[in-house]
Structures are given as C-alpha cells and as structure tokens.
C-alpha cells in the first residue's frame, strides 16, 4: 500500500495476523523491505509485521529536499499515525537502527521494545560519506555495489550462497541514486552518542562479529549508552539477518517476547 507522510509517498506492507501485536521493521541504507524476507516466516507467527521502504529506497519516493535521521524517525511515526497504530515493537538494521534510536529518543511512547541491529550512533568521518555521495552521483549505484556487498557479507557467505548474494546485489542496484545520496548525508550529519543516554525503553543491540561498517565496538557503545540494554553478537558481517537468519529471528523473537 502507499501512505503519504510529509508529502512523500511511502511503500508500506503488512503481513501476519490482523489481531496480533505490531512489529515495525526498518531497512538499511541501499536496501528495501525485501531485506526482511528471511525473517518473515518466523516473525509473522507472533506479530503483525509492518514493513516499509525508507525515504528514497525501494518504491518510496525520493525526498525533494535534504533531511536528517530525526526526519526518518518522524516518517515512521507518520506511517503509524496513518494506520491508526498507537504503539509497536521496532527492529531496524543499520540506518533502520539509527532511525530506531531517534524514535526511542523523541517518540518513546510509540515503542514498547526495540532491536537495534548492526548499527551505530555516529559514523564518521564526513569525507567518507561525501566521497560516497560523489561516487554514486557520478556513476550510479553500479559504482558502489561491489564495495557494499563486500562490507555487508563475509567472504565465506559470498562464496557459499551465490543466489542470496545475487538478490542482495539486485536490491542495491535498484536503489535510486539520489535516495542513497540523501540518506548518506543524513548519516554523515548524525551524532546520537550522547542523546541516546536518555532512552528508557527495553533495547536489544545485535552486533555482527565481522561487521566492518558498524563495528562491534560501535555496537558496544550503543549498548553501554542505553541503560539496561542487552547485546548479542552473531557470526556475520553487516547484514546478520541475511547471514544468520535463524539466529537473528530467534534473538528478535526471544527479546520481544520476554517478560518485563
């Protein structure tokens, strides 16, 4: 379905029992809602799963103006408002996790429990992001796809799962370059290292043991900054939900189902 928030058309999908509690999933940079397919069978057993494509990704419209990570969190709230959903569990990978941190800071009444996977509260230096923006504007997503796949997936997984790798590669190539560039700028300008100390909701941090992008150290900093947060480390790189789908799904389900 299409939902308009802040003048932008968002691609949104709901799966699972209509009467079940809602779990909102938020995608990473240069991906779309199909990145969650490995989790859908397990998660829809217990939850009404709400997926959406972030700004400028998948079938969601590219924003006509610059924006910040806080705007991405407001997008999530706008989708919930349009659907009449008061409160959700939340799970986001990478940029989706950054969105989740802002959501927990600024809209805490809307989230019960949150999973922040393969993410960071700050990602420098700015020159890294500026270079990616220049590269993709000059050469399209073809200019960044190989490096992205190498960061996202370990060499062992890339060698053993060519079909999965091909699917991920196609997803990256389908991302609008200007959507990618705008989100790169939002990540470049983000610094939530101090502000996430105000988060009081239950949080699970999922870390990839071999993640070169949002490193284990970055994940540990998020865990340490949020009072009561827990962490689990999975044997994978940046997309642990792809490399370790069962372990990822189990970690999410166990945490969201835990008693207070």
């Amino acid at each position: 379905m299409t939902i308009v928030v802040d003048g932008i058309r968002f691609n949104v999908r709901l799966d699972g029992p209509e009467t079940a509690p809602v779990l909102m999933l938020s995608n990473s940079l240069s991906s779309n809602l199909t990145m969650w397919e490995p989790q859908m069978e397990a998660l829809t057993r217990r939850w009404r799963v709400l997926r959406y494509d972030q700004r400028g990704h998948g079938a969601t419209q590219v924003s006509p103006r610059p924006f910040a990570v806080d705007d991405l969190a407001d997008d999530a709230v706008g989708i919930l408002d349009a659907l009449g959903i008061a409160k959700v569990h939340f799970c986001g990978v990478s940029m989706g996790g950054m969105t989740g941190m802002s959501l927990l800071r600024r809209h805490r009444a809307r989230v019960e429990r949150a999973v922040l996977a393969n993410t960071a509260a700050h990602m420098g230096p700015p020159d890294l992001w500026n270079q990616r923006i220049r590269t993709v504007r000059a050469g399209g997503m073809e200019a960044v796809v190989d490096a992205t796949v190498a960061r996202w997936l370990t060499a062992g997984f890339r060698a053993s799962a060519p079909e999965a790798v091909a699917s991920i590669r196609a997803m990256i190539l389908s991302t609008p370059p200007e959507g990618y560039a705008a989100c790169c700028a939002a990540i470049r300008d983000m610094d939530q290292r101090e502000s996430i100390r105000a988060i009081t909701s239950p949080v699970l941090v999922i870390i990839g043991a071999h993640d070169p992008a949002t490193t284990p150290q970055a994940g540990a900093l998020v865990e340490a900054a949020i009072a009561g947060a827990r962490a689990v480390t999975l044997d994978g790189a940046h997309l642990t939900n792809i490399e370790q789908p069962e372990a990822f799904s189990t970690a999410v389900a166990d945490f969201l189902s835990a008693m207070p």
Side-chain angles (χ1 to χ4, degrees), residues 54-55 66-76 94-103 105-107 120-121 182-192:
Q54 294 236 47
R55 289 189 183 211
F67 53 86
V69 168
D70 283 352
D71 294 306
L72 300 182
D74 292 346
D75 292 341
S94 191
M95 183 174 71
M98 298 167 195
T99 301
M101 289 180 228
S102 179
L103 191 63
R105 290 191 296 107
R106 301 169 61 251
H107 304 283
C183 285
C184 282
I187 295 170
R188 177 197 64 200
D189 298 338
M190 173 197 71
D191 190 346
Q192 303 188 81

Side-chain angles (χ1 to χ4, degrees), residues 94-123:
S94 191
M95 183 174 71
M98 298 167 195
T99 301
M101 289 180 228
S102 179
L103 191 63
L104 289 164
R105 290 191 296 107
R106 301 169 61 251
H107 304 283
R108 65 183 66 187
R110 307 304 293 269
V111 182
E112 292 187 19
R113 287 174 170 253
V115 179
L116 308 175
N118 297 90
T119 194
H122 178 258
M123 289 191 74

Side-chain angles (χ1 to χ4, degrees), residues 21-67:
V22 178
L23 168 58
M24 188 175 207
L25 303 179
S26 187
N27 61 281
S28 69
L29 180 69
S30 61
S31 72
N32 57 55
L33 58 77
T34 66
M35 74 170 290
W36 299 106
E37 286 301 327
Q39 279 66 60
M40 293 307 295
E41 181 179 357
L43 296 182
T44 53
R45 293 175 193 154
R46 303 188 190 185
W47 292 282
R48 178 75 162 162
V49 177
L50 168 58
R51 293 181 283 172
Y52 69 105
D53 292 332
Q54 294 236 47
R55 289 189 183 211
H57 286 65
T60 290
Q61 187 179 3
V62 176
S63 175
R65 57 175 174 74
F67 53 86

Side-chain angles (χ1 to χ4, degrees), residues 159-217:
S160 64
E163 291 185 4
V165 173
S167 178
I168 293 295
R169 185 181 179 86
M171 181 174 64
I172 295 166
L173 289 171
S174 72
T175 302
E178 279 303 319
Y180 174 87
C183 285
C184 282
I187 295 170
R188 177 197 64 200
D189 298 338
M190 173 197 71
D191 190 346
Q192 303 188 81
R193 287 174 292 185
E194 289 301 319
S195 58
I196 59 173
R197 296 183 184 278
I199 293 173
T200 57
S201 305
V203 168
L204 174 68
V205 180
I206 295 181
I207 296 168
H210 313 291
D211 189 346
T214 53
T215 63
Q217 292 78 11

